[in-house]
Amino acid sequence: MDIPVVENVLKLNDEVASINRKTLTQAGVYTVDLIGSPGSGKTSLLEATFKQIGQKARIGVLVGDLTTARDATRISKWCPDVVQINTGKGCHLDANQVRQGLDRLKLEELDILVIENVGNLICPVGFDLGQNSKVGLFSIAEGDDKPAKHPYIVQEAELLLLNKMDLLPHVTFDMDIFKEDITRINPTVKLLEVCATNGWINEWCDWLLAKAGK
Amino acid sequence: MHEFSLATSLLDLVRANCPDDEVLESITIEAGPMRGIEPQAMQWAWEAATNDTDLHGVKFELIQQPWTLHCPDCQTTFEADDMFTDCDCGCSRTSPVDCDNLRLVRLTVKDHANELV
Ligand SMILES: Nc1nc2c(ncn2[C@@H]2O[C@H](COP(=O)(O)OP(=O)(O)OP(=O)(O)O)[C@@H](O)[C@H]2O)c(=O)[nH]1
Ligand SMILES: [Mg+2]
Ligand SMILES: [Zn+2]
């Protein structure tokens, strides 16, 4: 005998995410879930962001990492408000892990929270954490076909960043294909070109400050 | 491996939706193509997650949905096997819509046919 049901598989996660969203909104914190492949430059982008606008806005960071504390150590040079979340075997952060991370931050003192998700372009996308927006980070070194192969982040993101622009002359990368695929999947998403290691991230910083009302 | 965490999330949801006095035989979930779920990995994950639990032996069925694409020119919505499929009207700016479903849609429980009424 069949019993029909219609239940979102991630219902429990989404409920905790709503609580996170409420907590963060009440504390006046603008929250970004930063999603990108391993090595696309998520931590480098954060380091450059602190260098550039660390004085203008108070930014906290939650870092998801499989087993190490290396990213948290890198970021702690710039910011006292960094919390490391080890996901063990988990390939993404879930709302409950973020909930526990939030308990360790002084949210009232923050303007912005960036959650560096585990390096992965698929799994993290489907898990709501309670963020205001998802930002997808691609890089030149990964190749121009990544949006087509990972459409979920393209569709869900409010902003996409293309990092390592300094490598463009050295790599086969068709910018037209990259952009056409993105537009086809998500005609309204914004795309900014950046270079984290050269500090060429002005547009990203402006976007972030505007979102946080700074 | 997100299949395993999906399987774990499913356990609670299945328990919450299955009436206490029924014997569960199988569950069915529906997944949109955006979710990138690998059927074999999902099958293994379900078996691993239910092993040593009250749900051990419950079968798992995955219904993979096709892409649903919307055409901005003629406003039709159609299904396709490939995300980049042009519309019949010739438009090549079709975009995916509602392709990220992930739902528990059915519980199949043991029939009561042979029981006395
Ligand atoms: N040339 C170049 N290299 C970069 C740029 N941004 C980051 N890198 C390099 O890319 C490598 C990986 O950078 P990370 O910032 O650690 O990348 P990540 O995304 O945080 O990596 P995981 O957290 O391990 O997933 C490092 O060697 C960086 O120096 C860039 O704009 N240009
Ligand atoms: Mg990192
Ligand atoms: Zn059409």
Side-chain angles (χ1 to χ4, degrees), chain A residues 147-211:
Chain A
K149 288 185 177 174
H150 303 282
Y152 201 13
I153 181 61
V154 177
Q155 188 171 59
E156 288 283 301
E158 190 172 328
L159 174 70
L160 294 174
L161 300 174
L162 178 57
N163 189 32
K164 311 197 185 180
M165 282 302 290
D166 56 311
L167 297 182
L168 192 56
H170 312 287
V171 183
T172 311
F173 186 100
D174 189 327
M175 194 62 85
D176 291 337
I177 289 181
F178 182 80
K179 289 183 177 170
E180 274 164 26
D181 287 348
I182 288 174
T183 310
R184 185 147 180 183
I185 297 162
N186 184 348
T188 59
V189 70
K190 196 176 162 74
L191 172 68
L192 299 177
E193 296 168 8
V194 294
C195 175
T197 44
N198 292 356
W200 179 23
I201 57 163
N202 294 0
E203 286 181 300
W204 148 253
C205 289
D206 291 347
W207 181 89
L208 195 57
L209 289 174
K211 286 289 181 184

Side-chain angles (χ1 to χ4, degrees), chain A residues 34-47 63-65 68 71 74-75 116-120 137 139 141-142 162-167 170 194-201:
Chain A
L34 181 60
I35 296 174
S37 305
S40 52
K42 299 178 291 299
T43 309
S44 304
L45 178 74
L46 287 173
E47 290 170 317
V63 199
D65 200 318
T68 75
D71 286 357
R74 279 168 65 186
I75 293 164
E116 177 179 338
N117 218 312
V118 181
N120 184 327
L137 181 71
S139 77
E142 294 162 43
L162 178 57
N163 189 32
K164 311 197 185 180
M165 282 302 290
D166 56 311
L167 297 182
H170 312 287
V194 294
C195 175
T197 44
N198 292 356
W200 179 23
I201 57 163

Side-chain angles (χ1 to χ4, degrees), chain A residues 40-77:
Chain A
S40 52
K42 299 178 291 299
T43 309
S44 304
L45 178 74
L46 287 173
E47 290 170 317
T49 306
F50 279 109
K51 209 182 288 184
Q52 195 152 127
I53 58 167
Q55 305 298 323
K56 289 190 188 154
R58 179 108 179 235
I59 308 171
V61 180
L62 287 182
V63 199
D65 200 318
L66 294 172
T67 50
T68 75
R70 292 190 186 193
D71 286 357
T73 309
R74 279 168 65 186
I75 293 164
S76 64
K77 294 199 177 99

Side-chain angles (χ1 to χ4, degrees), chain B residues 33-78:
Chain B
M34 279 291 185
R35 293 281 176 174
I37 292 179
E38 216 276 291
Q40 190 61 62
M42 193 64 221
Q43 195 69 42
W44 285 327
W46 174 252
E47 284 166 25
T50 51
N51 199 16
D52 296 331
T53 74
D54 51 319
L55 296 176
H56 177 73
V58 172
K59 291 205 187 65
F60 176 86
E61 192 198 353
L62 173 68
I63 302 173
Q64 297 252 51
Q65 299 174 308
W67 290 98
T68 304
L69 304 173
H70 178 76
C71 171
D73 279 2
C74 70
Q75 302 296 328
T76 37
T77 299
F78 61 98

